[in-house]
Amino acid sequence: MNKKSKTLKIESPRIAPDELALLELSGIHSNDNYEIGRVQDGVIEDQEANKATFDKVKFKNVLFSNTSLTGIELTDVIFEKCDLSNIDFSGAIIHRTEFRDCKMMGMNLADATLRNVLFDHCMADYANFRFSNMKQVLIQESFLRKADFGYSKWQKIQFYQADIDQAQLSDIDLNGIDLSDCSFNGLGVNVENLRGCIITREQAYVFANLFGLVIKE
């Protein structure tokens, strides 16, 4: 891991993944609590539940299909090499959770609360983070092209080699947010929210084009 990616300190999940017993999930039901176990090499499909809770659980090589888990609560959870594409986690509360090498295309995290969350080597194009509240979040070496972060609240967010091309960042206070290590050819932003945002000289040209400015050399 590059030294720069370590500058933001986030709390890791408080579990011992290699010591977890296999957890059988025959079905996920609203308000159920699942804790201390691992779910591995399987498919979770056609599930619909609200406010299910997972505590100290590791998911590995799990495919989620046609699944809606609104208001899910995740604490000390790891997702590794999972496919969460199009899953509905809207209204989720996520704390000390890692998403590693996951496919998350179109994942719905609208209105979610994220604290001490890592996205590492994830494919999350078109993901929906609209109206989310994100604090102590590290996004590294991941793709979030055309992701929608509109109206989110960001605090202590770090991007490390993230592709956020054409992402929607409208109505987000970007003061102090460092986008200099991101790649993009365009973003959806409000000019009034850019004050204090940290970018590179090359990225400044992108913003100039967005707002119709002409830079004279």
Side-chain angles (χ1 to χ4, degrees), residues 126-188:
Y126 300 98
N128 180 14
F129 295 86
R130 203 167 177 83
F131 292 101
S132 62
N133 188 313
M134 303 170 67
K135 183 178 180 181
Q136 300 290 134
V137 175
L138 173 59
I139 300 173
Q140 64 180 20
E141 298 185 74
S142 295
F143 292 90
L144 294 105
R145 295 167 296 198
K146 296 188 178 180
D148 188 353
F149 294 94
Y151 300 92
S152 295
K153 293 182 179 179
W154 285 1
Q155 187 176 358
K156 296 184 179 180
I157 307 298
Q158 182 175 342
F159 294 91
Y160 169 69
Q161 294 186 1
D163 188 338
I164 59 171
D165 189 40
Q166 306 302 322
Q168 182 59 250
L169 308 183
S170 59
D171 289 283
I172 298 176
D173 183 2
L174 297 174
N175 186 25
I177 300 298
D178 189 345
L179 299 180
S180 65
D181 209 38
C182 294
S183 59
F184 55 86
N185 294 314
L187 293 172

Side-chain angles (χ1 to χ4, degrees), residues 71-75 89-95 97 111-115:
I72 190 172
E73 295 188 21
L74 303 171
T75 304
F89 275 4
S90 58
I93 298 175
I94 305 176
H95 184 39
T97 293
D111 295 298
T113 299
L114 285 73
R115 297 288 186 273

